[in-house]
Amino acid sequence: MEALMAVAVGALVACGVYLLLRARTYPVILGIMLLGYGVNLFLVGMGRVGAGAAPILTEGTSDYVDPLPHALVLTAIVIGFGMAAFIVVLALRTRIATDTDHVDGEEVL
Amino acid sequence: MTLFLTVLLPFLAVLPPLLVRRHGDQRSRLAGLCAIPTAAALALVVAAARDVFAGAVPQASVAWIPSLGLHATLRMDGYAWVFACLVLGIGLLILLYARYYLSAREDLPRFFSAIMLFMGSMLGLVLAGNIILLVVFWELTSLSSFLLIGYWRHDEDARAGARMALIVTGVGGLALLGGVLLLGAIAGSHELSAVLAAAGSVQQHPLYVPMLVLVLLGAFTKSAQFPFHFWLPRAMAAPTPVSAYLHSATMVKAGVFLLGRLHPVLSGTPEWFYIVSITGMATLLLGAYRAMFAHDLKGLLAFSTVSHLGLITLLFGFSSPLGAVAAVFHIMNHATFKASLFMAAGIIDHETGTRDMRILNGLWRHMPYTTALAVLAAAAMAGVPLLNGFLSKEMFFAESLFIAEMRGLRPIEPVLAVVAGIFSVAYSLRFIRIFFRGSGTGMPRAPQEPPRFMRIPVEVLVLVVVLVGILPGLVIGPSLAIGARAVLGGDLPYYHLTMWHGLNLPLLMSVIALAGGTLLFLVRRKLYAVYGRVHPPVTIEAGYQGVARAASAGAAWLTGTLDNGSLQRYVLLLVGMALLAGAVPVIGRFSAGALPRTPVDAVTVAGTLMLVTAAVATAALHRHRLVALIAISAVGVIVSAGFVRLAAPDLALTQLLVEIVTILLVLLALDYLPRRSPPDTRAASRVRDIGIAAAAGAGVAALAWGVLTRPADSISRYFIEQSKPAGGGTNIVNVILVDFRGFDTLGEIAVLGIAALGVVLLLSGVDLTASRQHGEVARDRAPLFLTMITRALLPFALLFALFLLLRGHNLPGGGFIAGLMAAVALILHYVASGTHWTESRLRLRYRPLIAIGLLTALATGLGALAFGHPFLSATFTYVDLPGFGEIELATALVFDVGVFLTVVGAVMLMLSRLGEPVPESPADAAFPTEAAAWKP
Amino acid sequence: MSGHLTILPVLLPFATGVLLLLVPGRSLRLQRAIGLAGVLLLLGVAAALLAVSTQGGPRVYHLGGWPAPFGIVLVLDRLSALMLALTAAIALFSLLQAVQGQDRSGPLYHPLFQLQLVGLNGAFLTGDLFNLFVFFEILLIASYCLLVYGSTAPRLRAGVHYVVLNLAGSSLFLIAVGTLYGMTGTLNMADMARKVAAVPAADVPLLHAAALLLLMVFALKAAVAPLYFWLPSAYAAASAPVAALFAIMTKVGVYAIVRVYTLVFGAAADPALGGLATRWLLPISLITILLGMLGAVGVRELRRMQGYLLIGSIGIMLAPIALFSAGGISAGLYYLVHSTIVMAAMFLLSDLIAKQRGGKDDLLVQGPAVTQAGALGLLFFVGAIAVAGLPPFSGFVGKALILSAVRPTGWMPWIWSLVLVSGLLAIAALSRAGIRIFWDVDADDAPVAVRWRLLELGPTVALLALVLGITVLAGPITLFLDAAAEQLLVPGEYVRAVLGGAP
């Protein structure tokens, strides 16, 4: 399980970084999103992935998973969404202003 | 305190000149304005003479930065007194001279303001009683001289000369700062009096040599010593009053002043002797030699100045008592005759319109009086008896013999001294020649005697030159004594100030110098020819220029190459650094933890595989935009499924809803991004990127693996225990969000809100319709039935959102999820019915909604303050609500409502602005022109 | 109320910002009035907190009344009080400049400005690592908006770079924080300090990695080599008041470095962790000095040059700080204060000058006579002296303090030569710029008709006056900073204040 988790996180981060290194805004945006997924998964993992009930108090359950990372990730997801929305619009606005979708705002060959 | 007043006085006249009204001939007004404080300061200094001559050392101090050992301490011993007199006395004469030299059409306020700034700085420098304070004034003289040299800003040479002087002396100043900080640290105090007393400990200290080198760098650059001499001739682009003041009498003397100032503590070591005296000797000879061949009148004087400064440096280098006396004596003498020579040169330039010695001729016919003065001064420069220059030069010869004897440097050292003497006689004769050769014609202007008052400064100085020459003991003796005593920091050696010491070796050397000089002068033509050939093609100055140019070009190249404006490179650097930071500590030391591994089930394996596949697909197919978008939404869905697997229902819900909204957003945006872009990077760099990316992924994976396999012990037990009793909710995550860590949540909705505002900001004043890439795709109406269904469903969807909100505290749900739910419902509605229909039905203005949401959350937090609890303290009670069963009304719930409203507002604001080309409300429209904005 | 004073620097701009959102965008005058009032109040609060911080140890504010380490805490010590005061001051003058017209080139300037302050102040106050992340995000998203404000092509271009790099940085931040939580099981910095001090040897490498990743995040914010490339374009493109405000932005990174690597990974931690900041930060900051100053010599536009000078100054302040000695930190902090104020002034001034050079704008080439060469030239001269670290202004004091602070260490030769060389390069760059702009006048090029009213020069003059102020008052200021440094180097006091007496 731990291994799978590590693999999943690693794959997401790797693909995210690769896209982050592209020269066009759209792939970069995708990269940021993938990176976000990876990081969130990573964060959840920091509460360990061992067995444990969902952090909703119920009678007769004593073993819950660590709820704190969930809260952190929820925060991270929402912040990430805000950031993603901003850069999406920034990208299209830049495209309108500079007439290119190159991340440097000009066609470099 | 009078000391502070003395130093302050010149500064008082820095600003006024800039404020006097600029019309008519301001020259007298300005000169007068500056002369008053100067005279006053001079009076104060002279008044202090009694104490100083009596051996007292007036001192005043105010603490400035104790931790640095920097106090505003002023101190006037004999040496400082002598210099103060030179600075102010000659300064006064210069003001009078400048009044007549400068034309009324020039930007005079700037000149007088700068000259007073310099005068004050120079005065502060000589009176400083704290070596750091000395550096402060030291650099101020460099800065003010920069303004003065560049005074004629339209002149390229002036600009270049000013900058060169600033950089060379500036570097020296920096070195000096380092030097004095070391010196102070070694001596245990930066107070001059303490430093001067610390000779023993300083010279024993291991850091003595580096410190000495730094200090000497300062002194040598300032006093134009070889190999830093080249800036001084360049500085001749300054108006002559400036040259006469800064570059003969005062600023360039700062370097040698420092040598004398620190003589008691630094001199006497072999390092000092060799570095200082060799530099001095080299400068003495080089200056004399170059002066021999200068054709510009001021150029000749400049190189002569270099030479004489070298002489003074050499004398200090001897680090013998008589050497010091001679040095101080020559400082005074040189100041007087060189200042007068510069003024004379200025008059000649003024009257004839040229400074070229090949053109100037027969001046005595037109200006006999000036001629007489100039010739006397020049004779002093040559070291002719009956004039002050002769006396100090005699001392120099005598001392050089003595030192040569002592150090076994005979005969080289005396011979070199004589050679220098010969050259100085020769160039002095060249100077004198312009007055007498030829008929006095063929010059740009027909010269005549200058205005009466312009000559007075010269007369005064030449008078001093002669009086000192004839009656040295009477005129200069006492001042020299106190000056030298301060430099020696003890008793004076025996010396006899008189013009006639009887027939002795020094006299013989003088005679040789005079005779040889005359001879050299007579055969100069041949020398010129030789000079033309042997003169080194690469001068030090050319070297400096080359280095400067190369450095500037190199900097430009380096900067351009590093900062090439490519985001890809910057990201690469960031990732690279992160890899480095992550790898270095772990490599070779990595160890997995001992936590028993959790068993794996097939579903999870399959899910992980799908996740990886989808991620890779996104990366691989990113150029097929829609495909990539589908792939990434698959990733999102699987991740939320993963959250379920990891027992995080809230996360799963949030992730899913965010997914929907994000994808929708990107879909809308895709309308404005080109469908296809050229393949961005070369295959090679793609391979490299894959490598980097793989490494990054592996790194994070390893990190995760390392942590995941270690037993955990976190603060969360507290949350699990306290959630119900203290937080009043069973959904621990939600309780953490709205209560335990509500501050985070407040911040995060702020981020969301600002992001929405950012979208408004970016899209304000843009006509999106015009920028669409492909037609009206997104404007097509949805099929009717969908419209119908969504319209019907909307109320229920919103109700469900409300339900999620209310139950959030105990079961999966809460502000975010509810907010996103509502948003999604509304969006569907937009898609189905079009923005206009929707907005006209439900009058939602989203920007205020955000504000209200944030305000609600904020107010909830502030409520606690009213009850004296810290911000965001929550409380709750239970009520029975039909339909929902027992729910509790917690302030946390109100807070969550705030979250809900903000989320709805933010999400809708973004999407509606993007979906709907016209600005949401006039309030958000940009102010197209200044005119459109409010009128004051 | 005094009990709640600590949280006001966050709440005040927050409330002001939200309030401004409800004010219709058209009534700019009202917005300006509210905005300025808010900043003035903030300045008062900051001053009060500065006074409070000198009384005894750190003051802790338990949000929601939850005990540390479970709830989030705000901690006010001398350092945070200093940063708050500095921020408020810079904000005031930046805003005073902005209300002269630059806030018109789009909507929402004033709310965004206030929310920017929320992020900054929160970052300076919080004692919780994840909360620090949240406030970083607030100040970042706000700075994105302010940077692209007006949506001109250069701003958008610079914006894309700035945003993408910082988003990557944020991911890195989360990974680091996550790892630290995974290893220590806490987010509260004081608590983390304890846990780190007691960590088993086997866990050191992972913690070490996390600590370094965090360092990289802060280094990116602080614009340290090789992560500074976003800065010159961004600051050159931003409107002058925004650039001036951004002068404080990089200092958040510096602050975070000082805070985290004195508290969490301080002397108490495992030696491998304790010294890591020095090992990495010192070489990096020295390189930053060199590259920054060379950049200043190399570029051909005034605004970009200021950006590089700023980068260089970051290196200069970090080098002594990286020694984590009382003297070093104190000297570095003095330079931080100096550099922030003077660079803010220079960004405002560069714009005032450029706008009087017509088409030549801020290009360092021969151009028309600057319309108000007298006044602007004088201001530039003063500012340049301060930036280059020449007497008699604070730059000189700062460098002198740094030089004498690092003297006893083995790093002395390096730091000394680079600090001194930086002075030389700065002189070269600034003298060239000054000469090109004010002396090398093209008589044929007709001067521009733009003339500044005294009011428009006000903020610049005030900032330079402030430079003079911190020079004259350097004595008391250094005393305060020494105390601040001492406080930082005895984290035990901080930890006890947050977690209570238990050892």
Side-chain angles (χ1 to χ4, degrees):
Chain A
M1 187 66 194
E2 287 78 6
L4 283 179
M5 190 74 178
V7 169
V9 170
L12 287 169
V13 170
C15 299
V17 169
Y18 174 78
L19 286 172
L20 214 54
L21 288 165
R22 298 304 93 212
R24 302 285 157 185
T25 47
Y26 182 65
V28 168
I29 292 168
L30 294 180
I32 288 165
M33 288 166 69
L34 279 184
L35 209 54
Y37 295 132
V39 170
N40 292 341
L41 218 47
F42 180 88
L43 272 180
V44 178
M46 290 303 109
R48 307 300 186 271
V49 295
I56 314 274
L57 295 173
T58 41
E59 297 307 321
T61 325
S62 63
D63 177 22
Y64 299 98
V65 297
D66 184 342
L68 185 50
H70 297 185
L72 304 186
V73 172
L74 222 151
T75 308
I77 291 175
V78 176
I79 288 179
F81 165 68
M83 294 294 175
F86 183 85
I87 187 147
V88 165
V89 176
L90 177 60
L92 76 89
R93 184 68 178 80
T94 313
R95 168 67 164 70
I96 293 169
T98 64
D99 201 44
T100 165
D101 67 335
H102 194 286
V103 286
D104 300 333
E106 57 206 354
E107 288 301 333
V108 275
L109 303 168
Chain B
M1 279 306 118
T2 49
L3 276 175
F4 282 107
L5 181 60
T6 317
V7 175
L8 188 65
L9 276 165
F11 286 112
L12 290 180
V14 170
L15 280 184
L18 300 173
L19 305 177
V20 299
R21 54 189 204 294
R22 301 181 169 235
H23 63 68
D25 183 349
Q26 318 161 283
R27 287 182 294 178
S28 306
R29 209 181 309 143
L30 288 168
L33 191 65
C34 298
I36 294 162
T38 313
L42 185 58
L44 286 176
V45 172
V46 173
R50 206 202 290 100
D51 305 355
V52 177
F53 277 82
V57 179
Q59 185 159 341
S61 183
V62 174
W64 184 4
I65 311 177
S67 61
L68 186 59
L70 169 51
H71 306 281
T73 306
L74 296 177
R75 179 176 176 280
M76 184 155 72
D77 59 6
Y79 189 54
W81 185 85
V82 168
F83 263 91
C85 291
L86 283 177
V87 170
L88 292 167
I90 297 182
L92 207 50
L93 298 177
I94 291 289
L95 287 172
L96 177 59
Y97 179 79
R99 146 78 182 82
Y100 291 94
Y101 178 88
L102 294 167
S103 130
R105 289 184 308 282
E106 309 213 46
D107 181 3
L108 296 163
R110 195 155 54 85
F111 177 88
F112 282 98
S113 170
I115 204 113
M116 291 315 282
L117 179 62
F118 170 79
M119 189 187 291
S121 318
M122 192 65 205
L123 192 60
L125 193 164
V126 298
L127 292 181
N130 177 295
I131 52 180
I132 302 179
L133 187 68
L134 184 146
V135 177
V136 170
F137 287 114
W138 179 283
E139 291 287 42
L140 272 174
T141 60
S142 302
L143 288 164
S144 43
S145 74
F146 168 76
L147 296 178
L148 286 165
I149 299 170
Y151 174 65
W152 284 322
R153 46 177 67 158
H154 50 77
D155 170 10
E156 174 62 45
D157 293 345
R159 296 198 296 261
R163 185 156 180 243
M164 183 190 279
L166 177 67
I167 289 179
V168 174
T169 55
V171 174
L174 292 169
L176 181 61
L177 171 61
V180 298
L181 286 176
L182 275 183
L183 177 56
I186 298 170
S189 162
H190 292 88
E191 291 295 284
L192 187 56
S193 41
V195 171
L196 293 180
S201 55
V202 169
Q203 300 192 356
Q204 301 309 320
H205 198 281
L207 283 174
Y208 168 75
V209 174
M211 178 269 291
L212 181 66
V213 170
L214 287 170
V215 171
L216 290 180
L217 260 176
F220 291 167
T221 48
K222 199 79 161 181
S223 280
Q225 295 298 296
F226 177 84
F228 310 109
H229 59 279
F230 53 86
W231 70 264
L232 183 53
R234 282 280 165 187
M236 291 302 131
T240 300
V242 174
S243 316
Y245 193 30
L246 275 65
H247 305 126
S248 68
T250 54
M251 183 178 107
V252 293
K253 288 286 192 341
V256 287
F257 167 82
L258 187 69
L259 293 180
R261 183 78 285 178
L262 298 178
H263 194 267
V265 56
L266 296 183
S267 74
T269 62
E271 294 85 356
W272 169 278
F273 174 79
Y274 286 108
I275 301 177
V276 178
S277 55
I278 290 175
T279 310
M281 179 59 88
T283 315
L284 168 63
L285 291 167
L286 181 85
Y289 169 77
R290 290 292 299 276
M292 184 67 207
F293 301 99
H295 291 299
D296 171 8
L297 204 51
K298 280 177 79 176
L300 182 148
L301 293 177
F303 278 113
S304 143
T305 305
V306 170
S307 169
H308 282 269
L309 290 167
L311 169 57
I312 297 166
T313 306
L314 175 58
L315 284 165
F316 277 126
F318 288 161
S319 48
S320 67
L322 261 179
V325 175
V328 177
F329 193 21
H330 197 65
I331 288 174
M332 303 176 178
N333 296 338
H334 177 258
T336 47
F337 67 68
K338 190 53 67 67
S340 53
L341 279 171
F342 266 107
M343 293 188 190
I347 291 174
I348 293 165
D349 184 7
H350 207 254
E351 293 300 319
T352 65
T354 177
R355 294 187 334 220
D356 188 330
M357 298 169 67
R358 285 161 299 194
I359 300 173
L360 291 165
N361 69 84
L363 296 173
W364 69 275
R365 301 173 192 276
H366 309 288
M367 34 173 65
Y369 193 72
T370 310
T371 304
L373 294 171
V375 170
L376 274 172
M381 172 164 72
V384 174
L386 296 180
L387 300 168
N388 60 2
F390 170 74
L391 298 169
S392 38
K393 192 156 283 187
E394 283 282 281
M395 279 193 176
F396 163 55
F397 286 146
E399 196 57 14
S400 63
L401 286 166
F402 168 73
I403 293 294
E405 186 64 44
M406 201 175 70
R407 306 249 178 190
L409 293 172
R410 184 162 239 178
I412 324 117
E413 212 265 338
V415 170
L416 290 177
V418 174
V419 171
I422 291 173
F423 270 92
S424 64
V425 171
Y427 67 66
S428 305
L429 285 169
R430 288 188 62 227
F431 181 88
I432 292 167
R433 178 165 171 278
I434 62 169
F435 295 92
F436 302 106
R437 70 158 180 133
S439 58
T441 54
M443 292 173 285
R445 269 198 296 270
Q448 56 187 0
E449 288 289 356
R452 179 81 199 78
F453 285 97
M454 194 172 184
R455 274 205 319 261
I456 288 183
V458 191
E459 289 161 3
V460 173
L461 289 168
V462 170
L463 188 65
V464 175
V465 167
V466 177
L467 285 178
V468 171
I470 298 170
L471 305 165
L474 193 66
V475 180
I476 202 76
S479 320
L480 175 56
I482 59 162
R485 188 175 287 110
V487 169
L488 292 168
D491 300 339
L492 289 173
Y494 170 78
Y495 63 89
H496 182 47
L497 271 185
T498 165
M499 49 168 285
W500 179 250
H501 289 95
L503 290 168
N504 56 10
L505 209 47
L507 183 65
L508 176 65
M509 291 166 81
S510 292
V511 174
I512 298 172
L514 285 167
T518 321
L519 196 68
L520 194 66
F521 171 72
L522 294 175
V523 300
R524 64 186 181 284
R525 300 233 169 281
K526 295 189 183 53
L527 283 177
Y528 293 169
V530 180
Y531 178 80
R533 265 181 272 108
V534 306
H535 183 56
V538 181
T539 60
I540 308 255
E541 178 182 354
Y544 163 89
Q545 302 279 25
V547 172
R549 230 177 280 109
S552 156
W557 173 83
L558 182 71
T559 310
T561 319
L562 291 177
D563 186 359
N564 66 347
S566 155
L567 177 63
Q568 290 166 284
R569 164 179 296 181
Y570 306 159
V571 177
L572 204 61
L573 279 166
L574 178 58
V575 176
M577 288 304 283
L579 276 172
L580 209 61
V584 169
V586 178
I587 282 174
R589 300 195 207 76
F590 183 80
S591 63
L595 198 67
R597 310 286 186 262
T598 324
V600 187
D601 57 278
V603 183
T604 320
V605 179
T608 314
L609 286 178
M610 282 161 64
L611 182 66
V612 175
T613 324
V616 174
T618 319
L621 303 173
H622 68 85
R623 296 196 48 235
H624 311 279
R625 314 220 144 177
L626 285 173
V627 184
L629 192 59
I630 293 163
I632 202 168
S633 40
V635 173
V637 173
I638 302 167
V639 168
S640 23
F643 286 145
V644 177
R645 170 69 180 78
L646 294 167
D650 288 86
L651 290 187
L653 268 171
T654 318
Q655 181 66 67
L656 205 58
L657 291 162
V658 163
E659 195 59 27
I660 297 168
V661 180
T662 316
I663 299 302
L664 207 78
L665 200 78
V666 178
L667 261 176
L668 286 171
L670 274 178
D671 275 357
Y672 308 95
L673 291 173
R675 272 219 171 109
R676 284 204 156 284
S677 304
D680 53 7
T681 41
R682 299 183 320 285
S685 52
R686 268 206 295 284
V687 173
R688 176 201 63 195
D689 294 349
I690 292 174
I692 300 276
V700 180
L703 208 53
W705 170 254
V707 179
L708 283 168
T709 51
R710 282 177 162 70
D713 169 33
S714 88
I715 54 175
S716 293
R717 269 191 270 92
Y718 177 89
F719 299 128
I720 297 169
E721 289 155 9
Q722 297 299 321
S723 178
K724 185 68 181 169
T730 53
N731 179 356
I732 309 172
V733 174
N734 181 271
V735 176
I736 294 176
L737 281 171
V738 298
D739 201 339
F740 291 114
R741 296 184 66 89
F743 202 49
D744 277 348
T745 310
L746 187 63
E748 117 200 39
I749 56 176
V751 171
L752 197 58
I754 301 170
L757 299 182
V759 171
V760 172
L761 183 64
L762 282 166
L763 297 180
S764 67
V766 199
D767 176 11
L768 287 175
T769 37
S771 326
R772 277 190 190 288
Q773 290 310 298
H774 17 79
E776 285 292 299
V777 189
R779 303 249 66 64
D780 302 345
R781 272 303 179 75
L784 187 61
F785 71 90
L786 175 58
T787 319
M788 285 321 180
I789 294 169
T790 48
R791 284 185 193 172
L793 278 181
L794 183 61
F796 298 103
L798 293 177
L799 205 62
F800 180 59
L802 187 64
F803 169 70
L804 284 173
L805 171 64
L806 290 176
R807 70 170 226 173
H809 214 42
N810 296 314
L811 292 164
F816 289 115
I817 295 170
L820 290 163
M821 188 70 208
V824 170
L826 284 167
I827 293 158
L828 268 174
H829 213 70
Y830 272 68
V831 175
S833 313
T835 329
H836 288 309
W837 190 91
T838 319
E839 298 229 318
S840 52
R841 294 301 181 287
L842 7 105
R843 307 221 167 286
L844 283 175
R845 292 268 318 284
Y846 296 116
R847 205 182 88 193
L849 198 59
I850 297 174
I852 292 162
L854 290 171
L855 214 52
T856 316
L858 197 61
T860 325
L862 287 169
L865 267 58
F867 298 96
H869 298 298
F871 183 65
L872 283 177
S873 304
T875 168
F876 57 88
T877 73
Y878 292 93
V879 294
D880 192 357
L881 201 66
F884 286 99
E886 186 193 56
I887 68 154
E888 97 269 26
L889 286 184
T891 55
L893 182 63
V894 186
F895 183 82
D896 224 8
V897 172
V899 176
F900 171 81
L901 293 175
T902 316
V903 172
V904 176
V907 174
M908 294 315 296
L909 186 53
M910 296 175 185
L911 286 158
S912 62
R913 281 300 284 114
L914 206 53
E916 185 48 48
V918 297
E920 178 218 347
S921 79
D924 295 326
F927 303 91
T929 61
E930 296 275 319
W934 61 284
K935 299 277 177 294
Chain C
M1 202 58 210
S2 73
H4 300 293
L5 199 60
T6 315
I7 196 174
L8 282 187
V10 179
L11 294 189
L12 191 62
F14 203 124
T16 318
V18 176
L19 193 64
L20 280 164
L21 276 179
L22 295 167
V23 176
R26 278 281 177 206
S27 57
L28 196 51
R29 174 181 270 151
L30 182 58
Q31 291 207 358
R32 289 170 169 171
I34 296 173
L36 279 170
V39 173
L40 278 170
L41 270 172
L42 184 61
L43 194 59
V45 171
L49 285 172
L50 203 55
V52 168
S53 72
T54 57
Q55 314 300 325
R59 284 164 61 100
V60 183
Y61 189 88
H62 296 271
L63 284 149
W66 298 108
F70 309 108
I72 296 172
V73 292
L74 301 183
V75 185
L76 178 91
D77 64 354
R78 287 188 175 79
L79 176 60
S80 37
L82 173 75
M83 299 309 290
L84 291 171
L86 190 57
T87 309
I90 298 294
L92 176 62
F93 295 119
S94 159
L95 194 56
L96 280 173
Q97 190 76 44
V99 295
Q100 319 243 3
Q102 267 140 324
D103 58 351
R104 278 183 199 162
S105 49
L108 299 169
Y109 187 93
H110 293 277
L112 288 169
F113 188 92
Q114 295 292 332
L115 292 166
Q116 171 79 81
L117 295 179
V118 174
L120 287 163
N121 293 346
F124 292 137
L125 278 171
T126 186
D128 182 288
L129 209 50
F130 188 81
N131 193 237
L132 181 64
F133 164 80
V134 172
F135 277 110
F136 265 36
E137 294 307 303
I138 298 180
L139 73 87
L140 283 173
I141 185 74
S143 71
Y144 302 158
C145 300
L146 287 175
L147 171 58
V148 302
Y149 197 79
S151 304
T152 62
R155 286 180 193 169
L156 291 164
R157 274 199 203 92
V160 171
H161 286 196
Y162 179 65
V163 174
V164 170
L165 279 171
N166 276 300
L167 287 180
S170 302
S171 308
L172 207 54
F173 198 153
L174 283 176
I175 292 175
V177 175
T179 314
L180 288 173
Y181 175 78
M183 300 300 290
T184 63
T186 186
L187 293 168
N188 176 297
M189 290 198 261
D191 193 30
M192 198 178 281
R194 269 197 203 165
K195 299 271 171 48
V196 167
V199 78
D203 291 0
V204 168
L206 283 179
L207 271 178
H208 195 169
L212 278 180
L213 289 177
L214 207 52
L215 185 62
M216 290 307 145
V217 177
F218 299 152
L220 175 69
K221 304 269 180 289
V224 173
L227 306 176
Y228 62 72
F229 293 103
W230 56 269
L231 189 142
S233 316
Y235 284 33
S239 72
V242 171
L245 180 67
F246 281 14
I248 196 80
M249 202 78 78
T250 48
K251 310 306 181 295
V252 181
V254 177
Y255 164 84
I257 290 173
V258 176
R259 173 67 71 208
V260 170
Y261 296 92
T262 52
L263 176 57
V264 182
F265 302 103
D270 177 289
L273 300 170
L276 71 91
T278 310
R279 283 196 302 279
W280 285 70
L281 204 54
L282 242 168
I284 290 180
S285 50
L286 293 178
I287 296 168
T288 310
I289 299 179
L290 197 61
L291 292 182
M293 290 305 173
L294 283 176
V297 175
V299 294
R300 291 284 175 270
E301 304 95 358
L302 185 58
R303 294 192 186 92
R304 282 190 86 80
M305 190 182 91
Q306 306 295 3
Y308 274 102
L309 287 169
L310 176 61
I311 292 169
S313 75
I314 298 280
I316 295 175
M317 74 185 69
L318 273 178
I321 286 176
L323 293 169
F324 291 97
S325 67
I329 293 178
S330 166
L333 289 180
Y334 183 90
Y335 202 83
L336 182 153
V337 175
H338 147 78
S339 143
T340 310
I341 297 173
V342 75
M343 287 322 298
M346 286 309 251
F347 280 119
L348 295 184
L349 185 57
S350 305
D351 191 56
L352 294 171
I353 294 170
K355 288 211 169 80
Q356 289 196 345
R357 297 185 76 225
K360 296 294 191 302
D361 195 55
D362 74 336
L363 288 177
L364 297 179
V365 296
Q366 193 185 46
V370 177
T371 324
Q372 288 159 302
L376 293 179
L378 187 63
L379 292 176
F380 184 84
F381 189 61
V382 171
I385 292 173
V387 172
L390 290 178
F393 299 118
S394 46
F396 172 80
V397 176
K399 284 189 175 177
L401 284 167
I402 291 173
L403 292 180
S404 50
V406 305
R407 193 176 39 75
T409 70
W411 284 92
M412 168 190 169
W414 293 99
I415 301 180
W416 272 49
S417 27
L418 275 157
V419 167
L420 292 177
V421 166
S422 77
L424 162 62
L425 292 173
I427 294 173
L430 286 157
S431 62
R432 185 196 65 198
I435 287 174
R436 280 269 169 284
I437 293 171
F438 293 103
W439 288 2
D440 191 358
V441 170
D442 176 3
D444 313 334
D445 210 335
V448 190
V450 186
R451 289 194 67 84
W452 302 122
R453 287 174 286 107
L454 201 59
L455 201 62
E456 288 164 306
L457 299 179
T460 314
V461 175
L463 281 165
L464 289 177
L466 208 53
V467 167
L468 195 61
I470 62 169
T471 314
V472 175
L473 298 178
I477 293 175
T478 44
L479 284 182
F480 174 85
L481 293 177
D482 290 342
E486 294 295 347
Q487 198 172 36
L488 288 165
L489 291 174
V490 201
E493 192 192 6
Y494 182 107
V495 174
R496 267 192 303 286
V498 173
L499 301 177

